[in-house]
Amino acid sequence: MKKTLEKLKPIIFEVFDHLHQNPEISWKEVNTTNYIAEFLKSYGCEVKTFPDHTGVVGELGNGLFKVGVRADMDSLWQEVNGTFQANHSCGHDAHMTMVLGTLLLLKEMQVELPGQLKLMFQPAEEVGNGALKMIEKQVIDDLDFLYGVHLRPIHELSMGTASPGIIHGAAETVSAKIIGFDAHGARPDLGINAIEVVSAIVEQLKGIRLNPFDSFSVKMTQVNAGGENKNVIPGSAQFHLDLRAQKNETMTELVRKVEHILLHVASLFRVKIEFDHQEKVYAAVVHPEAQRIMAKAIAESIGEGNVMPPVVTPGAEDFHFYTKERPHLKAAMLGLGCDLAPGLHHPNMSFNREALLDGIEILTRTVLATFEQKLTSFYQ
């Protein structure tokens, strides 16, 4: 398999370079969708696109037993060297390349699958709702296993190592408005200062206490209050809260406490605070069977000593909507060591591109082993 990968290496790196140099932000991955769709068709896949949103699915083979491999497509919009632009600083260009590389490798090896492989390219992971759209379109309803992949920072995994599971945490954004009226700077008694209300909320959030063995955080990430006039006390404001928790149960309790604080502060200051929950993402649930299959594939690809335990991270991933909404799915996400630095979402993130070959081999062996296990179970 490694010799075949070396043969395919120029094509693999060409694919990566194209995707890296042509990033597109969430829900606007139009050219990326077209590029991948044409690539899938050229290698014999049945291709499905969607009339109302980006994203593409390639189907290879036939059969009742179905395995899916998912890659996210979107880039971030961030400031890079003083200019705001679309930028692949989360590794989605690498994820797409590895899933396409899995197709290349299977085709080059002339593998006849005893079932169907779905290659899923999902939009809008960065805004947390792309997976929900794919679920709505029933893309995963007939899958038995689902695998994903994500590059890991160097402080988690080094080059030449990999993990058969990423334990992402839950995440949620609370968007809120303080609704009041402005007052003259000389007459603060005639109004409520929305900035003071915001300050009170921040202080109350610091006092949240939950089980110390369950990691969590809540912090205010955006505030907007006041206009151009410096002598006007703003009565209204908008703000956003970022909530994180390692477990779904912890997130439920954190949300309850945050809502209590917002209602309490509104009552204390006698103002109206409207809020809603956005960009909700669930914590990971890794299926032990999928994890075991992937661990074996890692060992066969890069050596048993390079199989690392599941990576625990407070970061979030909408991949876990799939198992939350479709509990029948047996899923695991590959954590790939690649000497990624300085970190995910850093505008100048870089990694060792040779790791793409490791990832492709691991994913390919995982897919083949999953089908093989199904056949073994069938004939026993």
Side-chain angles (χ1 to χ4, degrees):
M1 193 175 288
K2 283 181 169 44
K3 288 184 179 179
T4 307
L5 272 170
E6 280 297 320
K7 178 182 176 182
L8 294 171
K9 185 175 176 179
I11 303 175
I12 291 167
F13 283 0
E14 181 183 341
V15 169
F16 174 77
D17 288 337
H18 174 85
L19 294 170
H20 181 74
Q21 293 164 12
N22 295 276
E24 295 178 298
I25 61 174
S26 305
W27 295 122
K28 296 184 179 180
E29 311 95 331
V30 175
N31 293 328
T32 305
T33 295
N34 293 337
Y35 174 83
I36 292 173
E38 290 304 313
F39 191 100
L40 293 170
K41 289 176 186 176
S42 69
Y43 283 92
C45 288
E46 292 290 326
V47 174
K48 180 178 182 180
T49 55
F50 308 94
D52 57 338
H53 64 83
T54 48
V56 55
V57 178
E59 296 178 351
L60 186 67
N62 293 288
L64 295 177
F65 186 71
K66 301 188 180 185
V67 178
V69 184
R70 171 267 201 182
D72 30 20
M73 302 169 64
D74 53 332
S75 70
L76 291 159
W77 182 260
Q78 61 184 164
E79 187 175 2
V80 183
N81 300 324
T83 303
F84 278 93
Q85 62 187 63
N87 187 39
H88 270 306
S89 60
C90 197
H92 296 187
D93 45 357
H95 305 164
M96 289 184 283
T97 301
M98 284 185 276
V99 175
L100 291 173
T102 299
L103 171 63
L104 282 172
L105 187 53
L106 289 170
K107 281 291 185 178
E108 188 68 22
M109 294 168 60
Q110 298 183 354
V111 173
E112 292 293 330
L113 297 173
Q116 186 180 80
L117 175 64
K118 281 192 181 185
L119 305 172
M120 297 168 46
F121 297 86
Q122 176 214 298
E125 187 277 330
E126 294 294 352
V127 294
N129 53 20
L132 286 173
K133 183 59 70 172
M134 301 295 268
I135 293 168
E136 177 187 315
K137 294 302 173 67
Q138 300 180 317
V139 170
I140 62 166
D141 284 8
D142 56 352
L143 291 180
D144 298 282
F145 282 78
L146 178 64
Y147 297 104
V149 58
H150 208 301
L151 305 182
R152 301 318 302 163
I154 193 169
H155 63 270
E156 290 182 0
L157 294 175
S158 59
M159 178 69 187
T161 66
S163 167
I166 305 176
I167 313 299
H168 287 102
E172 189 165 326
T173 298
V174 175
S175 297
K177 295 180 181 179
I178 300 169
I179 302 172
F181 52 88
D182 295 349
H184 195 288
R187 294 301 304 272
D189 56 304
L190 296 182
I192 300 296
N193 191 332
I195 296 175
E196 293 177 356
V197 178
V198 167
S199 298
I201 291 170
V202 170
E203 289 303 312
Q204 289 295 312
L205 293 175
K206 293 178 183 178
I208 290 179
R209 299 290 182 265
L210 295 175
N211 188 335
F213 294 101
D214 297 335
S215 62
F216 69 93
S217 70
V218 56
K219 55 275 179 190
M220 191 169 291
T221 54
Q222 289 183 351
V223 180
N224 182 26
E228 295 184 5
N229 297 103
K230 307 302 187 295
N231 63 343
V232 175
I233 299 171
S236 300
Q238 295 179 322
F239 61 89
H240 297 276
L241 303 176
D242 179 272
L243 285 66
R244 306 272 170 166
Q246 201 60 55
K247 298 179 181 178
N248 291 319
E249 298 80 8
T250 307
M251 176 60 81
T252 299
E253 182 64 12
L254 181 59
V255 167
R256 188 186 68 80
K257 287 181 176 288
V258 168
E259 290 182 348
H260 176 77
I261 287 172
L262 296 179
L263 295 172
H264 173 73
V265 171
S267 176
L268 179 66
F269 281 87
R270 297 181 181 179
V271 295
K272 185 176 183 179
I273 300 180
E274 293 182 348
F275 59 89
D276 64 333
H277 300 272
Q278 301 175 349
E279 299 179 9
K280 181 181 179 67
V281 180
Y282 290 104
V285 177
V286 182
H287 195 279
E289 187 177 359
Q291 180 178 316
R292 181 185 58 77
I293 293 171
M294 183 170 278
K296 186 173 183 291
I298 294 171
E300 292 173 348
S301 300
I302 58 177
E304 190 169 345
N306 294 315
V307 182
M308 299 293 109
V311 173
V312 179
T313 171
E317 242 282 357
D318 78 347
F319 178 84
H320 307 298
F321 271 120
Y322 293 120
T323 51
K324 181 69 176 179
E325 298 297 324
R326 299 293 184 270
H328 75 277
L329 269 180
K330 298 176 181 179
M333 177 175 277
L334 170 66
L336 185 66
C338 55
D339 285 351
L340 186 152
L344 293 168
H345 289 206
H346 190 285
N348 302 121
M349 182 274 277
S350 65
F351 69 98
N352 188 336
R353 295 199 310 174
E354 293 292 324
L356 293 171
L357 305 181
D358 290 343
I360 292 168
E361 182 175 356
I362 293 167
L363 288 175
T364 303
R365 289 187 184 276
T366 299
V367 167
L368 292 176
T370 305
F371 281 115
E372 181 182 346
Q373 175 167 305
K374 176 62 179 178
L375 283 176
T376 302
S377 301
F378 179 80
Y379 286 113
Q380 283 179 345

